[in-house]
Amino acid sequence: MQSVVEMAERHPTPERVDDLEWSRYNSLNLSAEQFDLVEDSKFACMSAKLLDFMAARGIETPQGDTLTALRDLNRTIHGAFDYEIGITEVNSPIDDALAAGRGVCQDFAHIMIAVARRWGIPARYVSGYLFHRRKGEDRSGEDASHAWMEAWLPSLGWVGFDPTNDTLAGERHIRAAVGRDYADVPPARGTYKGGAQSELAIAVSVQTTQAPVR
């Protein structure tokens, strides 16, 4: 499959929001969709191991304004885990990554979503791709899909956070689908019929292009 992605100008995310942002998480500012994204889901859910992790890292309760707390959480998860393929599977619970101290983008996104929801912030999983403009500086692989999370801030809307690379989602993040967690938006889903020795593989390449957008 080949796609052309048109980039639009993005408004810069401020460094912080006012201290009243926490009080805006109420029925006047949240829709039914956002209320659904405060509850635990299949892969992004609270567990005893996650509660222990939060206590050890001092993130049981958020500190500062909402945006600052999320930035700090993004940095904390990035620093707490090593990126390593093969430690977890696509259907692994977050406890596997918490126990190993290692995992991949899917695990880190699920952990951040679960913590944000614990704080009362609507959070959703994003499945997509990352343009690796900074060669060797991103922890995620260049030939694979990518995952991050988005948190709802009433005064800003959806703001993306990439705990794998300790950055906010920006022009390099190509969003394909959003859901409560990986179970809602896997990159591929279906049934494959073939010979017993068949093997299914995927490779992703994101490049700049001078092709005009029609």
Side-chain angles (χ1 to χ4, degrees), residues 107-127:
D107 305 306
F108 310 147
H110 283 152
I111 291 170
M112 186 164 178
I113 289 169
V115 175
R117 289 174 179 171
R118 182 77 170 185
W119 290 350
I121 300 173
R124 64 189 186 184
Y125 181 93
V126 186
S127 180

Side-chain angles (χ1 to χ4, degrees), residues 132-214:
H132 292 264
R133 184 176 59 202
R134 304 180 304 176
K135 297 295 182 181
E137 296 183 28
D138 296 312
R139 294 204 298 179
S140 48
E142 293 192 33
D143 59 347
S145 57
H146 191 48
W148 58 98
M149 66 84 75
E150 289 181 342
W152 175 261
L153 279 76
S155 63
L156 298 177
W158 290 107
V159 179
F161 296 85
D162 183 353
T164 302
N165 298 302
D166 188 21
T167 183
L168 268 65
E171 62 178 7
R172 300 192 302 123
H173 292 76
I174 303 169
R175 184 173 61 184
V178 296
R180 292 166 297 178
D181 56 30
Y182 174 84
D184 285 347
V185 289
R189 174 185 286 160
T191 302
Y192 171 74
K193 291 182 65 177
Q197 301 303 316
S198 298
E199 189 172 297
L200 190 63
I202 183 172
V204 177
S205 176
V206 182
Q207 301 173 333
T208 56
T209 178
Q210 297 301 319
V213 178
R214 290 181 293 180

